[in-house]
Amino acid sequence: SDGVRKIMNALILLLSILFTELYSYTEEPEFALNRDYFEEDFRSHGTVCVWIELTVEEQRAYVMKLLDALEVTDRDKRLKVARAILYLAQGVFDECDTEVDVLHWSRHNVFLLYDMGIFTALLELLSMEIDNNQACSSAVRKPAISLADSTELRVLLSIMYLMVETIRVQTEDDRPEWRAAREAFKNELGSPLYNGEPFALLLFTMVTKFCSMNAPHFPMKKVLLLLWKTILFTLGGFEELQEMKVRGRERLNLPPLPEDSIKVVRAMRAASPPASAMELIEQQQQQKRGRRSRRPLVKQDSLDTYNERDPFKNDDARDEEEDPEDTDSGIEGEVDPLDRDVIIQPPPPPPPLRPPTERVNFPKGLPWAPKVREKDIEHFLETSRNKFIGFTLGNDIDTLVGLPRPIHESVKTLKQVSEDISSSLYFSLSGEEEVEETPTEMLYLGMLPNLSQYVIALLKLLLAAAPTSKAKTDSINILADVLPEEMPITVLQSMKLGIDVNRHKEIIVKAISALLLLLLKHFKLNHIYQFEIVSQHLVFANCIPLILKFFNQNIMSYISAKNSICVLDFPHCVVHEMPELTAESLEAGDSNQFCWRNLFSCINLLRILNKLTKWKHSRTMMLVVFKSAPILKRALKVKQAMMQLYVLKLLKIQTKYLGRQWRKSNMKTMSAIYQKVRHRLNDDWAYGNDIDARPWDFQAEECALRESIEKFNSRRYDKNKNGDFTPVDNCLQSVLGQRVELPEDFHYSYEMWLEREVFSQPIQWEGLLQNP
């Protein structure tokens, strides 16, 4: 049907976008090389037909021959066979007429390759290349590294990426055997089947080895993309996370979530950005010339979602009966984080303006249900008891004796919206815990010994790829898999390479930001202390100033950057004839008004910053110290609802520290925070009277958290405990509840043992009263 055909075309378009970013433009000549090696090997076996005309059994027989040829000792022959396999994974494009056909055959071939065991063979070859000390030492000695130094690694990683990404994406017309293969592949990647550790750990090892300068020839873009997609496949994206939250709450008999955060954010509308100083000056001059004398000069434009017109443009007012969605303009649509890149067409032009009116459309309700923490209820009751009774009861939130009836009603309301903390997240220090072997748990267990190295390596790569970073002699070279052997000699070649380099950096930022956000969210759902240790490593590695440095640029220019050449994108370049490239066409860029890749990266980095600073006053003060407020306010110029939401969240948590003058000068931003960000009852964020705004021992806060994390790791993962340093369990209930292995005949001599070991032993009661 037409509906199914449209869905399939959309999916094909999505797959082509995901595959496009895998290849650099300098790799374009290798597409023909892959085809030539495949056809040479294909003809050598006496096959007359083309690949797409063979039966499935004939195709399986040929793939088996390729699998056998991968085991030869000759390195060059192995590379030729690997290129032939890559051509199959790329969709035998020379036998196809359209991009849809290429992606269809790519999907068919990838499932065939997985079924024949190609991925396991590629993994062994990848391990050999990682341990190839000769190639590493040769690359270290080279003054300049190019594409030629990473040929074998790039071919292997490209095949593995195509297999992971193709099998990960589901379609409605998937065959039953493909769905079974998807589940089997997902379990394989998430289980410690590869040298006793998940596949992602091997890729993390490549990242750290590259950042330590021991393997500068590693193609980092492909490694990071494969690592991100592997984590996304094995752990799940945001929709899977939401489902796991719902199942977890049902298992613990907790009430359902008040809303689906993904749906709420998708339904949000973008707000108008604040005006810049130059715009305000220009408007003031126009006002003096009498063009607009009815409105005074204001601090900044309205950020009201439902009244998005310029406050100086009264003629642009619309009738209140008009659909409020029609009043929006700018960047629109949704960005589904981590699961896929969504290409959203610009909205249609606004309808003709109607006669001006003084009426304003107001929101019908706030987007988020309010929440309150148990700590806030305790603080409220402590204040009420001190006021009405004169003493407090500590952490008791149930006893309301002596308090007025309105306080009873207030506590009842607060408890209705309070956050439930699962016992699986904050489990007791006493007793042993049964740890479920989930993919997230196995990944954390594998990452734990070298977690700080992994975090530092990722942030080094993020710093090197950031557009605000300046080249330094001691910085790592992330361009090893984009620079050609022969540097450009013409202006056109230089422009093409410049676009390729910028695109290369953007893709690295995208992969790292998505990977870090995925890890934080999955570890937080699995166990809060796993999230906290990753967060603390990020904070100690200066992740907060790094992200602020990233946003300390012309963010609109970054999001509207056009670092892509559509005619060179795969699979377009292998299906259609290549037009002649000119300097003018390269300078004009593509037809897209915005770069959704960069918008995706910005949202991910803002979400990471939110997760690092939420409820952490010491880290919130870092935002204040690094003067993040003006940087974040500039990011509000991007008229996209999700990005604005996380910018406003970051502004909200620090408003109490910014002073009364800042709040007075930014009342429109404060209004936008009120409209878009979730309300926390008893949270005095807008006035700075909260107890958390007082001086705080920030170092002690981080040290206490670190101590709790170390206790958690020691208790849960340290299986070889030294008896002299094992902490003493002082909980009576826990000690009495421990199971002790006793001999079978113990119950016969129990009374004798009790008399000898307990009753006849003198107890020095006075010793308990003396100081140790």
Side-chain angles (χ1 to χ4, degrees):
S1 65
D2 292 339
V4 174
R5 190 178 298 108
K6 289 180 180 179
I7 293 175
M8 284 300 300
N9 289 336
L11 181 63
I12 293 297
L13 176 62
L14 172 63
L15 286 173
S16 65
I17 295 168
L18 297 175
F19 294 165
T20 292
E21 295 182 342
L22 177 63
Y23 310 106
S24 302
Y25 293 145
T26 47
E27 293 181 89
E28 180 204 350
E30 298 187 9
F31 294 140
L33 198 61
N34 299 338
R35 178 199 59 204
D36 294 342
Y37 283 134
F38 169 80
E39 291 181 349
E40 177 185 341
D41 186 82
F42 197 57
R43 298 290 179 264
S44 67
H45 290 88
T47 309
V48 180
C49 301
V50 294
W51 173 263
I52 61 177
E53 295 178 355
L54 296 179
T55 64
V56 175
E57 291 303 321
E58 291 173 334
Q59 291 175 347
R60 292 173 66 89
Y62 177 69
V63 172
M64 181 60 70
K65 295 176 183 177
L66 291 178
L67 186 60
D68 294 336
L70 277 179
E71 300 179 359
V72 299
T73 56
D74 190 326
R75 184 183 180 88
D76 293 334
K77 290 182 179 179
R78 282 206 311 268
L79 178 59
K80 289 182 179 181
V81 175
R83 284 195 178 278
I85 295 174
L86 177 57
Y87 178 70
L88 287 176
Q90 289 172 339
V92 288
F93 48 79
D94 200 48
E95 303 174 16
C96 301
D97 298 325
T98 64
E99 298 177 32
V100 174
D101 293 339
V102 172
L103 295 168
H104 166 77
W105 281 104
S106 172
R107 189 168 183 82
H108 169 84
N109 294 342
V110 161
F111 277 99
L112 177 63
L113 293 174
Y114 171 72
D115 189 40
M116 299 301 295
I118 289 290
F119 191 86
T120 305
L122 295 175
L123 186 60
E124 295 177 0
L125 293 177
L126 180 63
S127 301
M128 289 172 52
E129 291 296 331
I130 294 173
D131 298 333
N132 189 346
N133 295 326
Q134 182 179 358
C136 293
S137 58
S138 174
V140 169
R141 290 193 300 269
K142 277 192 174 183
I145 302 173
S146 65
L147 274 173
D149 298 300
S150 59
T151 302
E152 291 83 1
L153 283 169
R154 285 187 294 106
V155 171
L156 295 176
L157 291 169
S158 296
I159 303 172
M160 298 172 94
Y161 176 87
L162 291 173
M163 294 184 70
V164 170
E165 186 62 4
T166 301
I167 297 177
R168 182 187 71 86
V169 177
Q170 303 182 34
T171 61
E172 294 182 355
D173 62 338
D174 277 351
R175 307 168 191 168
E177 59 268 24
W178 286 7
R179 296 180 182 178
R182 177 178 297 111
E183 289 302 317
F185 192 32
K186 178 179 179 179
N187 294 332
E188 286 179 21
L189 291 177
S191 303
L193 300 179
Y194 307 107
N195 295 328
E197 59 186 19
F199 174 59
L201 265 296
L202 179 65
L203 301 176
F204 271 117
T205 304
M206 294 185 71
V207 173
T208 54
K209 194 171 182 179
F210 174 83
C211 290
S212 62
M213 306 291 187
N214 293 325
H217 65 297
F218 281 2
M220 264 305 102
K221 186 189 78 172
K222 285 181 167 54
V223 173
L224 291 170
L225 284 173
L226 179 56
L227 177 57
W228 166 33
K229 296 298 183 178
T230 301
I231 299 293
L232 181 60
F233 187 21
T234 55
L235 305 188
F238 277 13
E239 293 181 355
E240 289 88 346
L241 267 167
Q242 189 72 14
E243 293 173 1
M244 286 188 279
K245 284 182 185 178
V246 172
R247 291 197 300 268
R249 295 181 74 88
E250 291 176 352
R251 186 173 65 252
L252 296 166
N253 297 320
L254 295 175
L257 293 168
E259 73 272 307
D260 187 336
S261 57
I262 299 176
K263 294 180 180 178
V264 172
V265 173
R266 286 177 177 175
M268 278 189 174
R269 309 297 296 175
S272 296
S276 64
M278 290 299 296
E279 291 170 343
L280 292 178
I281 293 173
E282 183 180 351
Q283 290 164 354
Q284 190 178 25
Q285 291 174 349
Q286 291 177 351
Q287 198 176 37
K288 288 180 180 179
R289 288 194 293 266
R291 296 183 179 180
R292 303 191 184 276
S293 58
R294 290 180 290 176
R295 295 293 297 270
L297 182 68
V298 296
K299 292 288 183 183
Q300 66 180 119
D301 282 353
S302 172
L303 280 171
D304 190 339
T305 306
Y306 293 83
N307 185 22
E308 296 176 341
R309 62 186 183 277
D310 191 327
F312 299 99
K313 299 179 180 178
N314 287 343
D315 295 338
D316 290 353
R318 288 163 168 77
D319 192 3
E320 71 170 345
E321 285 84 16
E322 184 177 352
D323 187 354
E325 291 187 2
D326 293 337
T327 65
D328 195 57
S329 61
I331 301 177
E332 275 306 320
E334 66 191 46
V335 176
D336 193 1
L338 307 185
D339 279 336
R340 55 190 181 273
D341 295 343
V342 183
I343 294 298
I344 308 163
Q345 297 298 328
L353 300 181
R354 298 186 180 182
T357 178
E358 296 301 322
R359 297 176 182 176
V360 177
N361 288 328
F362 290 100
K364 297 180 181 179
L366 297 172
W368 303 99
K371 282 185 180 181
V372 66
R373 294 183 298 166
E374 189 172 310
K375 174 185 175 182
D376 299 323
I377 301 178
E378 293 174 3
H379 178 58
F380 174 73
L381 280 174
E382 182 180 349
T383 306
S384 302
R385 288 169 183 147
N386 275 327
K387 180 178 179 180
F388 294 104
I389 303 177
F391 64 90
T392 62
L393 297 177
N395 297 330
D396 188 350
I397 62 172
D398 297 320
T399 304
L400 305 177
V401 177
L403 296 176
R405 187 67 186 174
I407 300 296
H408 289 226
E409 296 295 330
S410 299
V411 173
K412 180 181 178 181
T413 303
L414 291 174
K415 287 184 176 181
Q416 286 176 349
V417 297
S418 64
E419 294 180 279
D420 299 284
I421 299 178
S422 167
S423 59
S424 66
L425 299 183
Y426 300 92
F427 68 92
S428 172
L429 291 179
S430 60
E432 294 186 0
E433 182 192 15
E434 293 184 2
V435 181
E436 185 180 357
E437 293 293 329
T438 62
T440 307
E441 184 67 32
M442 288 184 283
L443 178 64
Y444 177 80
L445 184 59
M447 292 178 64
L448 185 58
N450 302 307
L451 184 58
S452 61
Q453 297 178 25
Y454 299 149
V455 169
I456 292 173
L458 289 175
L459 292 184
K460 277 185 177 181
L461 293 169
L462 183 61
L463 176 62
T468 54
S469 298
K470 297 180 180 179
K472 296 181 180 179
T473 55
D474 57 342
S475 62
I476 54 180
N477 178 22
I478 59 172
L479 305 178
D481 52 334
V482 69
L483 296 178
E485 287 188 87
E486 298 180 1
M487 296 306 291
I489 57 176
T490 65
V491 175
L492 184 64
Q493 291 175 346
S494 299
M495 291 181 64
K496 178 182 172 184
L497 181 59
I499 292 174
D500 204 5
V501 167
N502 292 335
R503 173 178 176 269
H504 183 81
K505 291 181 177 180
E506 290 173 0
I507 295 171
I508 289 179
V509 172
K510 172 184 177 179
I512 294 175
S513 63
L515 172 63
L516 288 175
L517 183 58
L518 259 185
L519 291 176
L520 288 173
K521 290 191 73 69
H522 276 284
F523 286 151
K524 187 174 183 179
L525 183 61
N526 196 58
H527 197 289
I528 189 63
Y529 279 140
Q530 295 176 355
F531 163 80
E532 293 292 359
I533 189 173
V534 176
S535 300
Q536 201 166 68
H537 279 304
L538 286 169
V539 172
F540 290 165
N542 289 329
C543 182
I544 292 177
L546 173 57
I547 295 178
L548 293 177
K549 180 181 179 181
F550 181 91
F551 281 95
N552 192 20
Q553 59 171 313
N554 188 339
I555 202 68
M556 283 300 298
S557 297
Y558 182 70
I559 286 180
S560 58
K562 296 184 178 181
N563 292 314
S564 61
I565 308 172
C566 296
V567 294
L568 297 182
D569 287 342
F570 182 88
H572 184 278
C573 64
V574 296
V575 175
H576 304 281
E577 291 188 7
M578 185 69 62
E580 183 180 357
L581 293 176
T582 62
E584 291 76 16
S585 63
L586 292 182
E587 192 172 356
D590 55 24
S591 59
N592 293 327
Q593 189 176 1
F594 301 100
C595 179
W596 298 103
R597 172 173 57 239
N598 293 349
L599 179 62
F600 176 82
S601 302
C602 289
I603 293 174
N604 289 340
L605 291 174
L606 288 170
R607 299 191 72 172
I608 292 169
L609 199 53
N610 267 287
K611 289 197 170 295
L612 296 182
T613 54
K614 186 176 181 180
W615 305 123
K616 301 291 191 305
H617 307 294
S618 59
R619 301 173 189 176
T620 303
M621 285 304 298
M622 291 179 69
L623 295 178
V624 179
V625 170
F626 290 123
K627 296 181 173 57
S628 66
I631 297 174
L632 294 171
K633 273 187 62 180
R634 287 199 297 271
L636 286 174
K637 290 181 178 295
V638 181
K639 202 155 178 280
Q640 205 278 338
M642 180 181 284
M643 183 167 174
Q644 287 182 345
L645 171 65
Y646 292 107
V647 171
L648 293 173
K649 280 187 174 185
L650 289 167
L651 288 171
K652 176 185 176 180
I653 62 175
Q654 56 179 315
T655 49
K656 65 179 72 172
Y657 306 106
L658 295 176
R660 182 178 300 175
Q661 185 58 42
W662 187 92
R663 296 192 290 270
K664 183 179 178 182
S665 303
N666 295 273
M667 288 306 297
K668 302 299 181 182
T669 302
M670 301 285 283
S671 176
I673 293 173
Y674 178 86
Q675 290 179 352
K676 288 180 173 293
V677 182
R678 187 192 300 276
H679 285 257
R680 298 275 175 176
L681 303 185
N682 291 350
D683 182 10
D684 202 8
W685 64 272
Y687 300 99
N689 300 322
D690 193 276
I691 188 173
D692 292 332
R694 299 174 187 173
W696 203 272
D697 190 352
F698 303 130
Q699 190 172 6
E701 184 183 4
E702 293 289 349
C703 290
L705 178 60
R706 183 69 177 180
E707 183 180 358
S708 299
I709 291 170
E710 289 176 351
K711 287 182 179 178
F712 161 74
N713 286 329
S714 175
R715 178 180 62 253
R716 185 159 170 165
Y717 302 111
D718 188 5
K719 303 303 181 183
N720 301 318
K721 296 180 180 178
N722 190 328
D724 296 335
F725 296 98
T726 302
V728 178
D729 191 350
N730 295 319
C731 178
L732 178 63
Q733 185 177 4
S734 171
V735 173
L736 294 178
Q738 291 180 1
R739 293 186 177 182
V740 181
E741 295 293 335
L742 300 173
E744 296 180 358
D745 58 345
F746 179 77
H747 64 279
Y748 295 116
S749 58
Y750 171 70
E751 295 181 355
M752 186 185 304
W753 176 88
L754 197 64
E755 179 68 29
R756 184 181 69 250
E757 298 292 338
V758 181
F759 298 144
S760 63
Q761 294 291 333
I763 300 175
Q764 302 293 334
W765 297 104
E766 296 82 0
L768 299 175
L769 303 177
Q770 298 175 358
N771 292 328

